[in-house]
């Protein structure tokens, strides 16, 4: 289930950022939150490793199983990315499937066709 692999996802996010937001501030760190139905926190990435953030935005997070996105695939909700826009506004995708499509996962998986 490659679409849930944190390292692969991070690669797609990086390319998406370069293609869609080439004028973003140099050195701005990209932060991604994956929300799960029925949980108050979110999975968190600021690099190719996945963490659990119980209270989103408090600055504290914990290690988690790197298969957590796959383990919760039926419960994944919106995906929010910070660090792409100049004004620090979030980029939000209402579903995990829309996020995958936007970052190019579906497009590359099918050989460039949508």
């Amino acid at each position: 289930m490659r679409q849930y692999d944190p390292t692969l996802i991070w690669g797609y996010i990086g390319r998406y950022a370069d293609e869609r937001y080439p004028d973003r501030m140099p050195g701005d760190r990209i932060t991604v939150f994956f929300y799960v139905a029925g949980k108050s926190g979110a999975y968190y990435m600021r690099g190719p490793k996945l963490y659990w953030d119980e209270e989103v935005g408090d600055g504290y997070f914990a290690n988690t199983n790197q298969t957590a996105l796959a383990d919760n695939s039926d419960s994944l909700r919106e995906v929010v990315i910070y660090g792409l826009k100049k004004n620090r506004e979030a980029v939000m995708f209402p579903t995990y499937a829309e996020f995958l499509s936007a970052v190019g996962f579906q497009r590359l998986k099918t050989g460039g066709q949508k």
Side-chain angles (χ1 to χ4, degrees), residues 42-55:
Y43 291 103
Y44 163 85
M45 292 178 78
R46 200 167 191 181
K49 187 173 178 188
L50 191 65
Y51 297 93
W52 174 251
D53 190 353
E54 188 67 39
E55 302 236 356

Side-chain angles (χ1 to χ4, degrees), residues 12-86:
Y12 280 97
I13 291 169
R15 197 183 73 208
Y16 172 77
D18 292 344
E19 289 177 358
R20 292 286 310 271
Y21 301 95
D23 60 341
R24 68 187 181 93
M25 299 299 286
D28 271 1
R29 296 208 50 186
I30 297 172
T31 305
V32 186
F33 291 97
F34 301 91
Y35 290 89
V36 180
K39 294 187 178 184
S40 61
Y43 291 103
Y44 163 85
M45 292 178 78
R46 200 167 191 181
K49 187 173 178 188
L50 191 65
Y51 297 93
W52 174 251
D53 190 353
E54 188 67 39
E55 302 236 356
V56 174
D58 67 355
Y60 297 101
F61 51 90
N63 287 327
T64 192
N65 186 333
Q66 296 303 295
T67 63
L69 294 177
D71 297 344
N72 290 282
S73 62
D74 292 339
S75 303
L76 291 175
R77 296 184 321 185
E78 61 270 2
V79 177
V80 180
I81 305 176
Y82 294 93
L84 297 177
K85 295 185 176 184
K86 283 184 177 182

